[in-house]
Amino acid sequence: SLKEREAWATRIGLILSMAGNAVGLGNFWRFPRLLAANGGGAFMIPYFIALLLLGIPLMWVEWATGRLGGKYGHGTLGPMFYIMARESVKPRKALIFAVIGGMIAFSVTTLLNSYYIHVIGWTAAYSIYSATGAYYGVDTVNFFFDHIKNFQMVMVTWLIPMILLFIAAFRGVSKGIEAFNKVMMPLLYVFAVVLAIRSITIGSPIRPDWSSFAGLNYIWKPDFEALSKNFWVISLAAAGKIFFTLSLGMGIIQNYASYVRKGDDIALSALTTASLNEFAEVILGGSIAIPIAYAYLGPDVVRSGSLGLAFMALPNVFTSMGEVGRFFGTIWFLLLFFAGWTSAIAMYNYLTALLEEDLKINRKIGAVIVFLIYLMLGLPVALDPTLTYFAELDNWVGSYLLVVLGLFDVIVAVWLFKPNNLWKELHEGALIKVPTFFKYVLMTLTPLYIIILLIGTTIDYYNQGIFAQSDPLIVQARIAIIIILVLGAIETYLAISRKYREELAKNQV
Ligand code: PHE
Ligand code: NA
């Protein structure tokens, strides 16, 4: 049953939307700190190895999975996995793989976004605070905590991204999502370039040896000793970052790829998207926050946490710039706003598509329901200014489940679907030929890498005492995760058993 689906209107719109999906808060907010904390330039060795053996091959897998699913009218992972797994196993067994995939993608797109949108809300608030100079002359650390403790203000500024997300999802793929990305992404790159140039051309007003150039040197100077001493931890951090930054293991690349027209290139588009993300992360993300903070605040502040850097340290920098700091502060937080929003819309749309295609609920009504889901799931985040609940969700949903889903990407879309079928799908209408080397990497090294990453992360969590925590807010976060996983499993099961009822009934296990 090949039916007419929504599709991207233009190639540039597809690329910008996919880049918007991948380029997120993590590029500008977490990357520079990770770099500084993990051996500086030496971090780029495990980072690039992970990009080559894990990130880019999985991008191809997810794009191909998505476009294939789109041909059958599916924009969600469960049915996509079902179709692919059916290539080598019977319906009921395929259903099991599909339910696992659909369940995890559902959990990530609901729970990760439930706190991610709050951070986008903070960036909206801080764009306003910067323009009005609200944090000028006050203690910026207290100012931040006062902000997140102010439930009313938090919810009002949360509404800014939420209303825009709703409008985009309501209008649909080309008239909503694509149209917003075509405006926001070019602006994002312009703001980032302006900030990067400003950032690397300033001397320190405080101490001559704190120039932004020294700051650049500080984060990029390779520390090979640190790398070899903490080889495992740093390699795990790099691989985890690759997953997160490319939006892998979330189901949202597949969802966007499902709207690619039949026969359009995906091989080059996937590579272009990854490159745009890496440019934003490594080149732009690596030259804004840290060098500028270093020049104004020195190495000690730079070494402090990432949250502190974006929302507490940088406002001090803008303040010290005087009036012009209001301009730079505003574009810094707008940059973060665009980066975050264009990722959040991919998650929002995943759920809208799920309601529309899996459960046959009209897109417009679906967009309202998704709004209510995020309102409900976002409340516990807004009501906990200690961010304990937030952090626990991030530990499991934002770092762990993604990797588990990445493993199932390979099991289903490479092994069960068969490497040769995947290669054929990937090259339909392709503008480049992907070296066969990557086919073998996907069959062997990529899954091995993911398994090591999973085991390593588990051991690391154990050593950090994450398993042993029992704070009520942490328990609450875990209960939320379990409930959502169960709901995701049920939803996927219903969607598949309804659509493929006949072949499931004929199945003999
Ligand atoms: N790729 C995004 C980033 O680097 C991660 C993300 C995607 C988060 C989609 C939420 C939604 O920040
Ligand atoms: Na990213």
Side-chain angles (χ1 to χ4, degrees):
S1 60
L2 300 176
K3 73 168 197 203
E4 195 58 49
R5 284 180 91 237
E6 282 193 272
W8 302 104
T10 61
R11 193 173 149 73
I12 182 78
L14 160 69
I15 299 282
L16 287 175
S17 302
M18 279 285 199
N21 182 335
V23 176
L25 294 168
N27 292 49
F28 299 97
W29 186 19
R30 214 171 123 234
F31 175 77
R33 206 201 50 93
L34 212 56
L35 189 64
N38 290 291
F43 176 73
M44 295 315 286
I45 298 171
Y47 181 89
F48 273 119
I49 293 174
L51 180 67
L52 203 72
L53 299 181
L54 203 61
I56 291 176
L58 279 177
M59 278 295 258
W60 280 318
V61 170
E62 295 204 345
W63 275 74
T65 303
R67 192 184 55 187
L68 178 82
K71 290 180 192 166
Y72 292 86
H74 297 303
T76 55
L77 213 54
M80 289 175 186
F81 271 14
Y82 180 80
I83 293 167
M84 291 182 123
R86 281 287 288 114
E87 198 63 40
S88 42
V89 298
K90 291 209 173 121
R92 284 191 202 151
K93 209 170 200 178
L95 185 62
I96 294 172
F97 287 102
V99 166
I100 294 172
M103 167 182 94
I104 300 179
F106 180 76
S107 311
V108 175
T109 48
T110 49
L111 290 172
L112 199 164
N113 225 15
S114 73
Y115 61 83
Y116 201 79
I117 298 172
H118 271 293
V119 182
I120 302 170
W122 304 345
T123 67
Y126 267 76
S127 306
I128 300 166
Y129 294 150
S130 300
T132 59
Y135 51 66
Y136 273 52
V138 302
D139 181 314
T140 55
V141 176
N142 288 336
F143 186 88
F144 175 76
F145 285 111
D146 285 343
H147 172 70
I148 60 170
K149 274 186 222 144
N150 183 343
F151 181 73
Q152 246 173 9
M153 189 63 190
V154 165
M155 290 312 290
V156 167
T157 45
W158 172 88
L159 273 176
I160 300 172
M162 277 304 290
I163 290 171
L164 294 176
L165 288 168
F166 169 75
I167 295 173
F170 185 89
R171 293 175 59 96
V173 175
S174 60
K175 288 204 203 87
I177 300 168
E178 184 171 350
F180 274 96
N181 273 291
K182 271 170 148 171
V183 176
M184 287 187 182
M185 289 309 288
L187 278 176
L188 178 151
Y189 279 98
V190 170
F191 289 175
V193 169
V194 170
L195 283 162
I197 292 172
R198 174 73 286 220
S199 171
I200 58 174
T201 52
I202 45 178
S204 174
I206 323 273
R207 281 173 51 163
D209 57 329
W210 284 2
S211 71
S212 58
F213 226 77
L216 265 185
N217 191 47
Y218 172 77
I219 46 170
W220 285 100
K221 204 175 123 227
D223 181 351
F224 294 109
E225 218 181 286
L227 177 63
S228 63
K229 232 175 43 206
N230 304 308
F231 179 78
W232 281 106
V233 175
I234 294 181
S235 300
L236 292 181
K241 179 70 174 119
I242 287 296
F243 256 92
F244 193 79
T245 193
L246 293 174
S247 299
L248 293 166
M250 305 181 178
I252 55 182
I253 299 287
Q254 293 94 329
N255 175 257
Y256 270 18
S258 77
Y259 305 111
V260 171
R261 283 176 211 281
K262 195 171 170 288
D264 272 359
D265 162 84
I266 55 172
L268 180 61
S269 299
L271 201 58
T272 310
T273 305
S275 312
L276 282 169
N277 180 68
E278 291 316 307
F279 176 68
E281 177 149 297
V282 178
I283 308 294
L284 299 174
S287 359
I288 301 174
I290 294 233
I292 208 170
Y294 193 96
Y296 279 87
L297 309 167
D300 291 341
V301 177
V302 165
R303 238 174 266 129
S304 70
S306 64
L307 185 73
L309 193 65
F311 292 96
M312 299 173 206
L314 287 184
N316 278 328
V317 171
F318 302 130
T319 304
S320 339
M321 287 179 175
E323 279 304 298
V324 70
R326 290 198 192 188
F327 167 76
F328 286 111
T330 309
I331 65 169
W332 162 249
F333 287 110
L334 279 178
L335 161 78
L336 291 184
F337 180 85
F338 292 152
W341 191 92
T342 52
S343 297
I345 186 58
M347 301 233 159
Y348 200 115
N349 188 67
Y350 183 92
L351 292 178
T352 312
L354 180 141
L355 293 171
E356 186 182 15
E357 292 166 346
D358 286 3
L359 305 177
K360 310 291 173 223
I361 295 171
N362 169 292
R363 169 174 277 273
K364 297 195 158 84
I365 297 170
V368 177
I369 297 175
V370 177
F371 190 100
L372 297 175
I373 292 175
Y374 286 134
L375 174 62
M376 205 177 71
L377 295 175
L379 280 179
V381 180
L383 287 167
D384 166 31
T386 66
L387 304 179
T388 311
Y389 175 85
F390 173 128
E392 183 66 1
L393 282 188
D394 195 45
N395 279 338
W396 297 108
V397 183
S399 324
Y400 202 86
L401 285 180
L402 313 181
V403 186
V404 178
L405 189 53
L407 184 60
F408 279 91
D409 267 345
V410 177
I411 294 175
V412 174
V414 183
W415 291 348
L416 296 182
F417 186 55
K418 301 277 161 68
N420 289 341
N421 289 330
L422 176 73
W423 233 238
K424 218 175 104 202
E425 179 61 41
L426 177 62
H427 286 92
E428 192 185 304
L431 297 172
I432 54 165
K433 160 113 188 53
V434 176
T436 316
F437 164 75
F438 284 106
K439 186 161 82 180
Y440 297 106
V441 166
L442 269 170
M443 292 155 66
T444 55
L445 285 179
T446 307
L448 192 68
Y449 211 130
I450 299 175
I451 290 168
I452 294 172
L453 175 59
L454 271 178
I455 296 172
T457 309
T458 311
I459 294 172
D460 185 43
Y461 277 16
Y462 181 81
N463 290 339
Q464 279 185 46
I466 289 178
F467 288 104
Q469 288 169 326
S470 62
D471 182 292
L473 286 165
I474 288 182
V475 175
Q476 196 185 322
R478 290 178 184 169
I479 293 173
I481 296 170
I482 291 167
I483 292 174
I484 295 290
L485 280 170
V486 171
L487 287 178
I490 295 172
E491 186 281 326
T492 313
Y493 175 81
L494 289 178
I496 295 169
S497 56
R498 172 144 122 201
K499 172 133 186 190
Y500 299 96
R501 185 180 295 137
E502 281 164 31
E503 65 173 45
L504 276 162
K506 270 185 268 159
N507 182 56
Q508 307 293 328
V509 181

